[in-house]
Amino acid sequence: MCRKMDCARARSHQHDKNRVESARDRQMTISVIMLFFVAFLPYALSAHLAVISPQDPVLPIGSSLTAVCTVSAELEITARSLYWTLNGRRLARNTYRVLSQTESSVTLHQLNGSLQQSGDNLVCHRSNGEVLAGSCLYVGSSPEKPINLTCWSRNTKDLSCRWSPGSQGETFINTKYVLKYKLKWYGKEKDCEDYTGQPYTCYVPRDLAIFTPYEAWVEATNQLGSATSDVITLDILDVVTTDPPPDVLVSRVGDLEDQLSVRWGSPPALKDYLFQAKYQIRYRVEESDEWKVIDDAGNQTSCRLAGLRAGTVYFVQVRCNPVGIYGSKKAGIWSDWSHSTAASTPGIDRSQSGSCDSKPSENNSTLRKELKQFFGWMRKHSYGCTDVSIKLYDQWRVWLQKAQKTHDQVLQSGKS
């Protein structure tokens, strides 16, 4: 019995405690609302008792504007005490005019394009700095005809398009660009919806037909006008690009100090398509940003770089152009470059660094001159990925290096 009474008293105490806390929370909420109301009441009242006209005008670049700030007599201030700011900068007094006890005007000439697409802030203040009213000025130009519309498809699965906004480019006010496309002969016009990539690009992720041409164009509109690009016609199979070649491997060619071997895989996303790939290779030395490009890699998936510097780190990249997918007659579009793969050529082994044979034989001198001429010719003709006499070239290079090492060893043993 006592235990039940104790439990009842505990529940009653907890209920009273919750009721007190609830009342305290309500009181705190009311206090916050009152503070907010008191803080913003003057601004709220002045916002309704003062107005700028015209409100949020849209103007061409170079135009002039006269704006009027009208204040209510209830504010008990005169127009002569008002001042104006544009984007926070106080305007010169000689641009103002007092039209009446409650009206002040400001005149702006040769307006430049808006500093931000959300508009420039023209504000009327009372003498103590308090904001009375504001207006956004949208100063810009109508869009020009979009140009340079180009599109590409990654592995025939999607479509991406890019364009330029015209020769003038910037309109200074919010301008909407819409990529439109349709099947050429019977399709319904559609709007591209994904503009989340780079500026002036749009992405169509799916539901595209092949073997049927599309028409595509761009419409640009803003509050000052509109413009439409030329219509381009494209077939998805004619604008295919693919992923960078995978599995790029760069390795040495035995002990040859001026060569590297490059191998890579064909684009896996197009393995089920009938096409002939073309490849390009570029390479650079570690300490340089300048790339050398090899255009003649053809459709093979390997290449030998010749004429390199000994003991040097090289970075190599490969890209692919899928040509003639399903018999397309158009040149494909190059993929992005693969990630850089690094490898170094072997260093030149010189056990007698800084010394040389002071009395070479006449026969040895003649042979070296002949070899120098031969290697110069071979380097000239083996540059890139060509395989002209590459086997013979390798034999000569290996023989020369062995001969040089033997010669150096003989000199070393003779001096010791």
Side-chain angles (χ1 to χ4, degrees):
M1 184 67 178
C2 291
R3 187 175 298 132
K4 290 182 179 180
M5 290 178 65
D6 291 341
C7 292
R9 282 197 295 268
R11 285 195 296 269
S12 177
H13 177 72
Q14 183 64 39
H15 177 72
D16 293 341
K17 182 179 179 182
N18 292 341
R19 186 168 55 188
V20 170
E21 291 179 351
S22 178
R24 187 183 301 126
D25 291 342
R26 284 197 300 272
Q27 184 63 37
M28 184 176 296
T29 302
I30 292 172
S31 299
V32 170
I33 293 174
M34 290 295 291
L35 287 172
F36 181 85
F37 182 75
V38 170
F40 287 90
L41 179 59
Y43 178 78
L45 290 175
S46 63
H48 287 88
L49 297 176
V51 64
I52 291 178
S53 60
Q55 189 66 208
D56 303 339
V58 181
L59 305 165
I61 292 174
S63 59
S64 299
L65 169 71
T66 296
V68 177
C69 179
T70 303
V71 297
S72 171
E74 296 180 31
L75 292 178
E76 298 181 351
I77 57 177
T78 63
R80 192 174 300 277
S81 66
L82 306 181
Y83 71 91
W84 296 80
T85 62
L86 181 63
N87 292 329
R89 182 177 60 85
R90 191 163 181 162
L91 297 174
R93 178 65 66 173
N94 60 12
T95 61
Y96 308 170
R97 273 189 66 196
V98 177
L99 304 180
S100 68
Q101 282 288 101
T102 58
E103 290 182 321
S104 171
S105 71
V106 65
T107 300
L108 306 173
H109 297 289
Q110 292 294 315
L111 289 167
N112 295 320
S114 295
L115 296 179
Q116 50 197 13
Q117 290 190 346
S118 58
D120 293 332
N121 297 314
L122 180 64
V123 178
C124 173
H125 301 260
R126 66 194 311 169
S127 58
N128 63 1
E130 179 185 330
V131 173
L132 293 173
S135 178
C136 286
L137 310 186
Y138 299 95
V139 184
S141 59
S142 60
E144 290 190 340
K145 172 183 174 180
I147 58 175
N148 301 329
L149 175 59
T150 57
C151 301
W152 62 96
S153 174
R154 187 173 295 276
N155 304 316
T156 75
K157 304 301 184 184
D158 57 19
L159 186 69
S160 297
C161 294
R162 178 189 298 118
W163 61 91
S164 300
S167 58
Q168 180 179 327
E170 180 62 67
T171 62
F172 297 98
I173 59 176
N174 186 40
T175 300
K176 183 179 181 181
Y177 293 89
V178 178
L179 173 70
K180 295 180 176 288
Y181 65 100
K182 62 183 283 292
L183 289 169
K184 183 174 181 179
W185 293 300
Y186 54 85
K188 181 181 178 181
E189 180 181 303
K190 297 181 179 179
D191 290 353
C192 180
E193 298 180 354
D194 187 350
Y195 297 87
T196 57
Q198 296 294 319
Y200 311 118
T201 62
C202 195
Y203 176 65
V204 182
R206 64 181 71 84
D207 300 329
L208 294 165
I210 58 175
F211 304 111
T212 304
Y214 279 90
E215 290 181 337
W217 65 98
V218 176
E219 294 181 357
T221 57
N222 65 22
Q223 293 167 291
L224 292 174
S226 62
T228 302
S229 73
D230 292 333
V231 177
I232 65 170
T233 301
L234 60 96
D235 190 312
I236 296 296
L237 296 180
D238 292 338
V239 294
V240 175
T241 187
T242 188
D243 303 308
D247 306 323
V248 178
L249 176 65
V250 184
S251 57
R252 295 179 177 182
V253 183
D255 292 330
L256 299 180
E257 76 276 0
D258 66 344
Q259 295 186 30
L260 288 172
S261 173
V262 186
R263 297 183 182 276
W264 60 88
S266 58
L270 296 177
K271 61 182 178 62
D272 297 327
Y273 290 81
L274 179 64
F275 75 103
Q276 183 177 16
K278 289 174 58 178
Y279 297 98
Q280 276 187 347
I281 299 169
R282 68 179 186 179
Y283 64 95
R284 64 176 177 85
V285 295
E286 183 178 24
E287 62 272 14
S288 173
D289 293 329
E290 182 180 350
W291 294 92
K292 292 184 179 180
V293 179
I294 298 174
D295 291 314
D296 61 352
N299 64 350
Q300 58 188 337
T301 56
S302 64
C303 170
R304 183 175 296 189
L305 305 179
L308 306 179
R309 291 184 350 212
T312 304
V313 175
Y314 284 87
F315 290 97
V316 181
Q317 294 180 330
V318 186
R319 67 176 181 174
C320 175
N321 186 332
V323 179
I325 292 184
Y326 288 141
S328 170
K329 302 298 184 181
K330 299 291 183 67
I333 298 175
W334 287 104
S335 71
D336 294 332
W337 291 99
S338 65
H339 293 300
S340 293
T341 302
S344 63
T345 53
I348 300 176
D349 184 11
R350 292 287 185 266
S351 58
Q352 286 293 312
S353 177
S355 65
C356 59
D357 185 359
S358 59
K359 295 182 180 181
S361 67
E362 184 177 347
N363 291 335
N364 190 41
S365 176
T366 302
L367 177 60
R368 286 184 179 280
K369 289 180 180 179
E370 292 176 355
L371 289 178
K372 184 175 181 180
Q373 294 172 354
F374 177 78
F375 289 138
W377 181 89
M378 283 300 302
R379 285 195 178 96
K380 180 179 179 182
H381 290 80
S382 64
Y383 176 81
C385 292
T386 54
D387 56 359
V388 178
S389 303
I390 198 69
K391 184 175 181 180
L392 181 62
Y393 176 74
D394 290 349
Q395 293 173 353
W396 275 93
R397 290 295 299 154
V398 171
W399 179 87
L400 179 65
Q401 291 176 24
K402 289 183 178 179
Q404 182 63 48
K405 290 180 180 179
T406 302
H407 177 71
D408 291 344
Q409 290 171 358
V410 170
L411 288 176
Q412 178 68 18
S413 60
K415 290 185 177 183
S416 58

